[in-house]
Structure formats: C-alpha cells, structure tokens
Amino acid sequence: MSRMTPSQDDRYRQATAQFGAALERLARAFEADPDLRLDLLQDIHLALWRSFAGYEDRCALRTWVYRVAHNVTASHVAARRRVHFAAAASLDELAEAAGDDDPERSVGDQQALDRLLAAIRALKPPDAQVMLLYLEDIDAAGISDITGLSPGAVATRISRAKALLARRFQTGGAR
Amino acid sequence: MSHDAPSPDIKTLWQAQESEMTTMTLDQLQAHGAKFQSKVRQRNRREYAASAFVILIFSLYLIWFPAPLMRLGSLLIIAGTLLMMIQLRRRGSTQALVRSPLAADYITAYREQLVRQRDALRSVWLWYFGPFLPGLIAFMAGLSLGPPRLPWPLIAGEALLTAAVFIGCVLLNRRGARQLQRRIEDLDTLRQQTD
C-alpha cells in the first residue's frame, strides 16, 4: 500500500468525522450479518481513503463520500446476493404489499428499525439507495448527483418512499 | 396521523442509531488493505496450484505415452494451461480489482461493473476453456488411435463427457451473460427515465 499523503489523510478524517455514522448505517442497511457488516464497513473506509488520492475537489465532499460508499456497497450486495436480485421489489410493490390496516403499524422503536432494515434490504438497488439517502436527509438534487437518476425520477421515488414509510411505519407518539 | 406522509420520527429514529465504528486509523486501513489483497492472492494461488497439478500430470503423460498424438496433446494442454494462467494473472490481479470508477454516480459505476462481468462471461470460453481445446482434441485422437489401443466405447464416452462439460459451461456462462445484459438494459432505461 502506498504511503498516505497528508491531504488524503486529512480529507479522510474530515469525511469520517462528518459522515462516519451515516456510513455505518449504510452498511447496517445492506448487510445483516455482523461480521460481514464490519467487513463491508472496513471496505467502504478503505475505498474512501483510497479515493481521496484522486479527489481534487471534483465534487462536493458529501456527494463523493456517498458515491464511493454506495458503489462499494452495491458491489458487496451484488457479490453476496446475486440470486436474490430477481426477488427484490420496487418501492411501489412494497408499498402495495403493506395495507392500510396493517396491525403492526404501531410498533416500538427497535421493531420499527428492524422492519425498516428488512424493507430496505428487500428493495431493488436504486430504490434502496434513494430510500437510504432520503432517510439521511439528502435533498432530491443531492440524491440525483449521487445515484445518477434524473431529478424527476428521484422526486417520484422519494414520493413512493414517503408513501411506503407512511403505510408501514408509525413510531414515537403513535404507540 | 395521516397515512399519506411518513411519521417524522422514522428519519430521526434512523439517524439516531448508535455508532460503533465511524473512522479507521492508518494502521487499521493498511491492515484491511493487506487482508483484501491477501484474499485475492489466496484465490489466485488456488488457481495456480490447480494449474501446476495439470501441468505435472500432462508432463508425466508426455514421458509415459509413446503415441505422438497423445504427446502432442499433452504438450498443447500444458501450453493451454500456461496461457490460461497468464490470463488469470492479467484479469484477477489485485490492481485490476481496485481499478473501478468508485466515485462515479451509482448507475454509471454499477453499469460498468455489470458490463465487465458480462464481457468476462461472454469470453470465458475463449480464454478459460479455449486454450485447452486443441490439446484435448489431439489427446483424444491419440487415445483412439493408440498405442495403447483403448476400446472405442470408452473413448467415445470420454469424448462425449468432455464435450458435454465444455458445452454446459459455455451455455451456463452465456445464460449468465444474458441475465447481466438484461440488468444493464434496466439500468439504461432507469437513466433515461425522467420521472
């Protein structure tokens, strides 16, 4: 491995200070196995650190970090769950599967998180990514930059993600 | 609560999850990088060991079998194995694996990955199985003509089995390539969608 330059090191530190927790949530969303999740998270950090050798302020730090992290995750998922790909659902399909009268809509925080993770893992890759970025509070333009989807396609998916969340999850005061 | 808008709590809940590892030290990064490279090297070593075994066996055939065609076949199989090893080294080195468009947007990066996998599957017959074909054909021909002369049903059975394995592998790989092509087309459609 080549020697780390100060700027590469600094950028990595800055990125992980700002987005380290989000990267961990991303790994959690796509990998249920704790050991493999740690491995994936370490892969993301390594790829991120390596990527900063060629960063040169080519785009916003946030966009760069999420692009690298999502691309590493997509490779991990593709390698791990090739056979599951055909079974993955779109946001529309998942929202329809959850009826308005779902008796489990009011659930505790941990249960809600577990169900949210299960829903994300069941989604097709682009939909799962839009959902995750929406949960991280990234705006539509930012999601478009990170995913490569058009702003219109992102807006449609955000709206579907909101509908899915509204149908399937009711937390906090709703308990 | 309205069913048309999500609970605002779900985002808060998502972002409030406890963190265990938000950064890595230089030592940890280097150790993980070394682990990754070691995994790739291990995989390559297994392939090389299998190839070395094939080379050893056919080198012995080269000495043992008197029939010129069988000796020629053995020599061609050894050459084919070496060619395949060179291809493996070229395609499977750790450097080749880390050379990916990591900072491209997701669709671009994912598409490139799928195209690479599709092309590898499409051409696998050429670089993985192909180098063995001339040697195998010559070896089989040598077996059928002797000496030593083997019973023809045995030779026919062996030839059929070998052909079936080759054709099966090629068909499976082509099916995999077609599935990847469909995913690529899905991504292209996705990119063209405006809503």
Side-chain angles (χ1 to χ4, degrees), chain A residues 12-91:
Chain A
Y12 170 72
R13 280 206 202 103
Q14 187 192 350
T16 53
Q18 280 185 50
F19 304 106
L23 297 181
E24 196 173 336
R25 290 192 288 271
L26 172 70
R28 195 173 293 149
F30 282 103
E31 183 51 71
D33 182 294
D35 290 337
L36 292 173
R37 188 189 310 147
L38 180 62
D39 220 29
L40 168 61
L41 188 56
Q42 289 175 335
D43 282 349
I44 293 172
H45 278 273
L46 182 63
L48 195 58
W49 171 74
R50 277 182 172 148
S51 76
F52 281 124
Y55 175 54
E56 292 164 0
D57 296 321
R58 282 195 281 173
C59 63
L61 181 68
R62 183 186 72 175
T63 305
W64 185 274
V65 170
Y66 277 114
R67 278 180 174 182
V68 172
H70 277 255
N71 290 335
V72 173
T73 306
S75 300
H76 174 86
V77 172
R80 277 266 291 152
R81 295 192 289 182
R82 259 173 212 153
V83 285
H84 291 193
F85 193 93
S90 69
L91 282 161

Side-chain angles (χ1 to χ4, degrees), chain B residues 141-183:
Chain B
L143 265 182
S144 62
L145 298 173
R149 199 84 187 241
L150 296 177
W152 72 263
L154 185 69
I155 295 163
E158 229 177 283
L160 277 176
L161 186 68
T162 309
V165 169
F166 264 75
I167 292 169
C169 288
V170 170
L171 288 179
L172 274 178
N173 282 306
R174 290 185 82 89
R175 201 178 95 179
R178 278 200 301 277
Q179 284 171 348
L180 289 171
Q181 178 59 33
R182 278 198 289 278
R183 283 200 226 164

